[in-house]
Amino acid sequence: MSKQLVSWEEIREEFEDKKTSLLLGKGFSCAVWNRFKDSSLYEVASLPNNGGTSLSEEDIQIFDKLDTKNFEKVLATLSTTKEVNEILGAQAHPEILQTINDRYQNIQGSLIQAVERVHIPWREIPLEVFTTIKKEILKYQNLFYTSYDLLIYWSLTSDGYFEGFRDYFSGNEFQEKSAIEDKRLRVFYIHGGLHLYSQGEKILKITNKGENILEQCKQLWSDPNFRPLFMAEGTWRDKLKFIRNSDYLFFAYNRLKQNTDKLVVLGNPLNLDKNMLDKNPDFNQHLLDAIVEPSPQRVAISITVDDGDVDQQMKYWEGVMKRDDIPFFDEKSHPLCSPDIRI
């Protein structure tokens, strides 16, 4: 007899406590704002943008040559290329430096435009949605967030009170030892976030509240000395390289790998495709490894009923997690993925 899918209400008492970590993914983002389903920034940036900026044929050739869809990687490569050319005396050929600058600025502008086209505006989110999100996530000990959007950050800061959670930033700068290990929620942006950026070796956080964050993103990204710190596509291998090249992301990822307490997996954070369950390594194998290796004492996993065969999904998860004691619950029955927070 196949295992039955339960509602979150049936198991929440066991998992809603400070001995549980929450791995939260794109299903949550899409539950709030349906347009996040189309949030492949590379694909959006490649579309014609009336009056705005989109990737040119030359830009796309650069992405193809580097075999990536990761904006950070391309922008970093162009920045390094410019520095190397300057060292080698490219000033004698200003057209080379101009070409690099043109490509950098257009790719950067395309990224900003893509984010703006995809991301929900702050003013369109009712305060009660922020309140619901904050109330729910504060029930856990650790939050590992895999999306790049601002929903979690906005929710945690929406009421003006910065109590009840820690994100390992002191002021606006990442400092691994800046947070006291207590019962407050510990927040980890596994794949970065729109409010995070790098300046040289420093990892920094935008501290402006509300809609000002997106506006500040524009200002920061127009400066080649600052680069956004969030995952903008890529295979799991590319994502892992990206993580290892950032002190903050590597720290956050390792905290997930060290989690041996209870774990709730919600909102399809591994981005499993209903038609490709047997090819998961092409998606987020690094996340799968991080939650399997420490063998959490208990694991609850949400199932997206709209993704087809429920029995197949549950069987897949039991196989990759190497355990048969997993309670599976309907994703939409959890308050963080409920239709009640849809905007």
Side-chain angles (χ1 to χ4, degrees):
M1 184 176 180
S2 62
K3 183 173 288 189
Q4 296 296 310
L5 193 65
V6 301
S7 71
W8 176 248
E9 191 63 34
E10 294 177 71
I11 62 173
R12 68 186 306 166
E13 186 175 347
E14 178 184 359
F15 288 95
E16 282 185 353
D17 58 40
K18 288 299 182 178
K19 295 181 180 179
T20 302
S21 295
L22 175 64
L23 178 61
L24 187 62
K26 189 176 177 181
F28 156 71
S29 305
C30 296
V32 176
W33 181 246
N34 196 52
R35 284 199 62 197
F36 279 128
K37 288 183 178 178
D38 303 318
S39 62
S40 168
L41 294 179
Y42 177 81
E43 298 301 331
V44 173
S46 300
L47 296 172
N49 197 347
N50 296 329
T53 306
S54 58
L55 295 175
S56 68
E57 291 185 10
E58 292 85 356
D59 298 333
I60 292 173
Q61 288 176 8
I62 295 173
F63 278 86
D64 290 344
K65 191 67 176 179
L66 294 175
D67 191 27
T68 187
K69 293 182 180 178
N70 191 305
F71 281 83
E72 202 277 344
K73 178 178 179 179
V74 172
L75 292 173
T77 299
L78 286 172
S79 180
T80 301
T81 301
K82 180 183 177 182
E83 292 176 2
V84 172
N85 274 276
E86 288 176 341
I87 293 172
L88 296 178
Q91 289 86 348
H93 301 280
E95 68 279 3
I96 295 177
L97 295 180
Q98 187 60 52
T99 297
I100 297 173
N101 281 332
D102 290 345
R103 299 282 52 82
Y104 188 100
Q105 292 175 10
N106 196 72
I107 291 172
Q108 194 172 57
S110 300
L111 174 60
I112 295 171
Q113 289 286 332
V115 168
E116 286 188 318
R117 293 176 73 171
V118 166
H119 205 285
I120 183 172
W122 175 81
R123 64 182 68 134
E124 292 190 23
I125 306 178
L127 180 59
E128 55 265 28
V129 172
F130 284 141
T131 301
T132 296
I133 293 172
K134 183 171 184 176
K135 175 185 175 183
E136 289 300 321
I137 61 179
L138 286 181
K139 295 175 180 178
Y140 301 93
Q141 180 64 88
N142 299 298
L143 171 63
F144 299 101
Y145 194 47
T146 65
S147 296
Y148 66 83
D149 60 67
L150 294 166
L151 291 177
I152 292 298
Y153 185 54
W154 275 346
S155 297
L156 287 171
T157 59
S158 60
D159 56 7
Y161 294 98
F162 296 80
E163 299 176 353
F165 71 94
R166 289 287 183 268
D167 61 4
Y168 297 88
F169 282 81
S170 179
N172 72 330
E173 185 175 349
F174 166 60
Q175 292 182 8
E176 181 177 337
K177 298 181 180 180
S178 64
I180 300 172
E181 298 295 336
D182 53 24
K183 292 298 182 181
R184 283 172 283 191
L185 174 71
R186 305 162 192 160
V187 183
F188 304 93
Y189 299 96
I190 298 292
H191 288 166
L194 289 178
H195 62 304
L196 305 180
Y197 62 101
S198 60
Q199 180 186 20
E201 298 297 320
K202 292 183 179 180
I203 304 299
L204 305 168
K205 177 182 72 174
I206 296 174
T207 56
N208 284 356
K209 293 183 289 185
E211 59 188 323
N212 291 329
I213 293 180
L214 287 176
E215 184 60 34
Q216 192 165 344
C217 284
K218 281 191 201 178
Q219 298 172 9
L220 286 172
W221 299 354
S222 63
D223 187 333
N225 294 313
F226 301 100
R227 291 203 299 273
L229 184 69
F230 66 88
M231 202 73 70
E233 303 308 310
T235 66
W236 73 267
R237 290 183 177 85
D238 287 337
K239 290 174 182 175
L240 192 54
K241 289 178 183 177
F242 184 53
I243 288 170
R244 287 172 173 165
N245 285 330
S246 165
D247 288 344
Y248 169 76
L249 296 182
F250 192 58
F251 162 73
Y253 179 66
N254 278 333
R255 290 300 292 262
L256 177 60
K257 291 182 67 176
Q258 294 164 8
N259 177 64
T260 58
D261 292 330
K262 293 180 290 185
L263 176 69
V264 174
V265 180
L266 175 65
N268 199 7
L270 274 67
N271 199 28
L272 297 178
D273 188 291
K274 61 184 177 181
N275 298 314
M276 299 185 70
L277 289 177
D278 60 335
K279 297 182 179 179
N280 182 60
D282 290 334
F283 295 97
N284 286 294
Q285 181 67 38
H286 64 298
L287 292 179
L288 187 59
D289 291 342
I291 63 176
V292 172
E293 289 175 8
S295 188
Q297 61 179 253
R298 285 284 278 156
V299 181
I301 298 177
S302 71
I303 295 294
T304 307
V305 176
D306 296 341
D307 278 353
D309 192 323
V310 170
D311 285 338
Q312 181 191 18
Q313 293 183 61
M314 292 191 291
K315 183 178 179 181
Y316 171 82
W317 273 112
E318 287 182 333
V320 297
M321 294 297 295
K322 301 179 178 64
R323 58 198 303 168
D324 59 7
D325 63 341
I326 303 171
F328 295 100
F329 63 96
D330 185 345
E331 177 181 280
K332 291 182 180 178
S333 69
H334 194 288
L336 289 173
C337 288
S338 166
D340 294 341
I341 63 172
R342 173 66 57 86
I343 297 170

